Amino acid sequence: MARWLNLATLYSLTFLLIAASSAAETGRVEVARDDQAGQLRVSIDGREALVYCYGADLDLPHYYPVRSPSGRSMTIQHPDPYPHHRSFWFADTVQLAGQRQASIYNSLYSRVDKKDPKSPLRDRSRHVEFLKSDNPAVIRDKLVWEMDQTTPILDELREVRVVPLGEGEYFLDMTFTVTASYGDVTFVSDWVHYAWPFVRMTPEFSVDKGGKIVNSEGGVNQEGTNGKEAVWVDYTGAGGEGLAIFSHPQNEHPHKWLTRDYGCFGPRRIDAKSGNPFTLKKGDSMVQRAGVLVHRGDLAGGKVAERYHQYAEGKL
């Protein structure tokens, strides 16, 4: 069983972990953690790749910014008209047995005093602690989904493996595990408002601005990819850089995807668990594994299909 390591009790300032490099590696991964700011910065060869935001005042931990190979932010926080969108996040609407529904997805709107933007959040996903990792390029942390400020609903274990690919490109192997530690939990998310995980691209990547969405089956843009079955979806901007999400073969398949021309996309679950309530029994866990490829060029230039197969075969 994994041992918990509560480093927050030891340090509140930034610390640095450096992945050992070898001749076979394409980059050096550095992880700088600042508990006071509630941010963990991941850099590759000295250049920021992404930041994990986990501050105590957040409605849910998320990743922002997620940077392109050239260094620009590919994602956006608090966009208008959907300020609850969190760049790159993982959430849902759930109901603990004997309790009311709690929408972690919409937790931004759950403040005790809705007129006070600094009022405590009634419902939220909360970072608890970082866990020990034997590989400095693997980030592991424990979270809890809770309601009414103090009632836990689910435990979440999150693991992110950072893989440099050279020339500013990188890959994230992400595993999200939720466990019904406190009782049976029913997932009640509707068909429209969830993805596991969810990404919101900046407006510059939108289809209206010349971006393009393509899925593994050849579907194009929202019309050809939203609500369609696929194993990966790529979102490339007019500037020639893109972000693809891969659904790992260990997930339940086939499943559909959410895509929006304005910049949102992410994988669903199988139809029986999408828009249809289902229950995770006390003590049981559910896992979603996704790969995130940040690449140069278009679909072909970023080798999206090739890299998906490498990921599916355990070679990436």
Side-chain angles (χ1 to χ4, degrees):
M1 181 175 294
R3 294 179 298 166
W4 306 108
L5 183 65
N6 188 354
L7 293 175
T9 62
L10 302 177
Y11 298 103
S12 60
L13 300 177
T14 303
F15 70 88
L16 187 66
L17 294 174
I18 303 178
S21 61
S22 68
E25 289 181 324
T26 57
R28 186 182 72 256
V29 177
E30 299 173 334
V31 181
R33 177 180 146 197
D34 185 342
D35 286 332
Q36 186 172 10
Q39 294 186 335
L40 185 145
R41 297 181 180 276
V42 178
S43 300
I44 298 174
D45 288 335
R47 298 179 58 185
E48 183 178 273
L50 73 158
V51 178
Y52 178 47
C53 303
Y54 59 93
D57 59 340
L58 292 178
D59 50 336
L60 50 84
H62 58 280
Y63 305 89
Y64 176 80
V66 178
R67 297 202 179 277
S68 72
S70 67
R72 60 178 173 154
S73 178
M74 307 178 82
T75 60
I76 188 172
Q77 281 182 319
H78 304 287
D80 183 31
Y82 306 115
H84 58 283
H85 286 186
R86 283 293 171 277
S87 173
F88 190 140
W89 74 106
F90 183 79
D92 216 305
T93 301
V94 290
Q95 185 169 14
L96 178 66
Q99 303 288 340
R100 63 173 175 82
Q101 289 185 16
S103 179
I104 306 304
Y105 173 86
N106 285 311
S107 54
L108 176 67
Y109 309 116
S110 73
R111 296 195 183 277
V112 175
D113 183 350
K114 298 188 181 301
K115 296 181 180 180
D116 181 2
K118 295 184 179 181
S119 176
L121 293 158
R122 191 181 302 277
D123 306 330
R124 63 185 298 204
S125 171
R126 178 172 59 85
H127 169 84
V128 176
E129 61 182 341
F130 288 100
L131 308 178
K132 180 173 178 165
S133 172
D134 294 330
N135 182 348
V138 174
I139 304 157
R140 303 174 67 244
D141 65 310
K142 179 184 177 182
L143 304 91
V144 61
W145 298 16
E146 56 192 12
M147 60 183 290
D148 297 332
Q149 298 182 271
T150 59
T151 301
I153 305 169
L154 283 167
D155 285 330
E156 180 188 339
L157 177 64
R158 189 173 295 189
E159 181 172 296
V160 180
R161 179 172 60 92
V162 183
V163 182
L165 299 175
E167 298 185 343
E169 296 184 312
Y170 57 95
F171 181 76
L172 307 173
D173 183 6
M174 313 184 78
T175 303
F176 306 87
T177 304
V178 292
T179 301
S181 305
Y182 311 99
D184 294 355
V185 176
T186 300
F187 287 74
V188 293
S189 48
D190 63 21
W191 167 247
V192 177
H193 296 102
Y194 92 93
W196 273 31
F198 212 145
V199 172
R200 176 64 190 270
M201 307 294 284
T202 64
E204 290 76 12
F205 278 79
S206 69
V207 172
D208 287 344
K209 297 292 185 179
K212 188 175 183 180
I213 309 170
V214 180
N215 72 11
S216 59
E217 311 310 302
V220 177
N221 294 339
Q222 180 175 332
E223 183 177 0
T225 60
N226 184 52
K228 309 296 185 182
E229 293 177 2
V231 294
W232 56 258
V233 170
D234 177 73
Y235 212 125
T236 296
E241 296 179 308
L243 186 153
I245 300 179
F246 301 159
S247 179
H248 195 275
Q250 77 179 23
N251 299 331
E252 293 183 293
H253 289 272
H255 64 77
K256 299 181 175 70
W257 291 67
L258 177 148
T259 64
R260 297 289 185 269
D261 285 345
Y262 63 75
C264 280
F265 74 115
R268 305 285 200 185
R269 296 182 292 264
I270 59 173
D271 283 353
K273 297 178 180 178
S274 287
N276 297 303
F278 67 96
T279 299
L280 191 64
K281 291 294 186 179
K282 182 178 181 180
D284 288 349
S285 296
M286 184 164 53
V287 180
Q288 180 80 345
R289 186 174 174 187
V292 177
L293 172 66
V294 174
H295 65 84
R296 292 183 179 274
D298 58 10
L299 193 70
K303 303 177 183 178
V304 175
E306 175 184 337
R307 284 166 163 167
Y308 166 77
H309 289 296
Q310 291 174 345
Y311 175 59
E313 294 168 3
K315 299 176 182 178
L316 182 60

